[in-house]
Amino acid sequence: QVELVESGGGLVQAGGSLRLSCTATGRTFSSHSMGWFRQAPGKEREFVGAIVWNDGTTRYEHSVKGRFTISRDNAKTTVYLQMSSLKSEDTAVYYCAARSDYGLASSPRAYDYWGQGTQVTVSS
C-alpha cells in the first residue's frame, strides 16, 4: 500500500550534519505517523524518532534529542531527519517506516511499511 524510499545518507565527519529524506508513495493517507530507525552492525534496530503527519508532533530517543530533528512536508509526502553534532555512535543504516495505527510508537513491530535504508557513516 505504501512505498518508502530513503535518501541522503553518506559519509560525514564527526560534529557535522546530514539530512535524510524519506518519500512515501501509494496509499499515504492510511499512515498516521512516520518513524525513523537505525541499525548498526550486530545491533538490533533502534528507534530514533517519529512524527505525526497531521500535526507534526514528534518523539525522540533520548540519545538523539537536541541533535536530531524530524520534520515533514505533507504536500511532498516526505519526512526528513536532520542530524547535527553527529557522533561515531550514530553510524548505522537508517530506515524510515510508516505506521497505520494512532500513536508515536518506538517499537519496530508497530510499523507497517519500511524503506530500504540508507547508510550513514560518521568518521572521527
Side-chain angles (χ1 to χ4, degrees):
Q1 289 186 258
V2 179
E3 292 187 18
L4 306 173
V5 179
E6 301 102 331
S7 63
L11 176 65
V12 63
Q13 195 170 102
S17 299
L18 201 63
R19 189 182 76 161
L20 306 182
S21 300
C22 174
T23 298
T25 58
R27 298 174 62 87
T28 57
F29 57 85
S30 67
S31 296
H32 167 261
S33 59
M34 299 290 291
W36 283 99
F37 293 79
R38 63 187 181 185
Q39 188 165 22
K43 300 289 186 179
E44 293 185 351
R45 194 161 295 189
E46 176 189 39
F47 176 73
V48 175
I51 187 167
V52 176
W53 276 114
N54 287 340
D55 63 10
T57 301
T58 54
R59 174 186 176 184
Y60 299 95
E61 168 63 31
H62 78 276
S63 65
V64 307
K65 195 171 185 179
R67 299 189 298 120
F68 291 10
T69 301
I70 299 173
S71 61
R72 91 288 194 211
D73 185 331
N74 294 58
K76 295 181 179 180
T77 61
T78 298
V79 296
Y80 304 94
L81 179 64
Q82 177 66 52
M83 304 182 290
S84 61
S85 301
L86 283 162
K87 308 172 182 179
S88 60
E89 307 95 275
D90 296 317
T91 295
V93 176
Y94 283 71
Y95 299 88
C96 67
R99 172 173 162 82
S100 300
D101 291 344
Y102 178 82
L104 292 174
S106 61
S107 172
R109 292 190 291 271
Y111 291 80
D112 305 294
Y113 303 97
W114 293 84
Q116 82 288 349
T118 185
Q119 177 71 47
V120 173
T121 302
V122 183
S123 63
S124 59

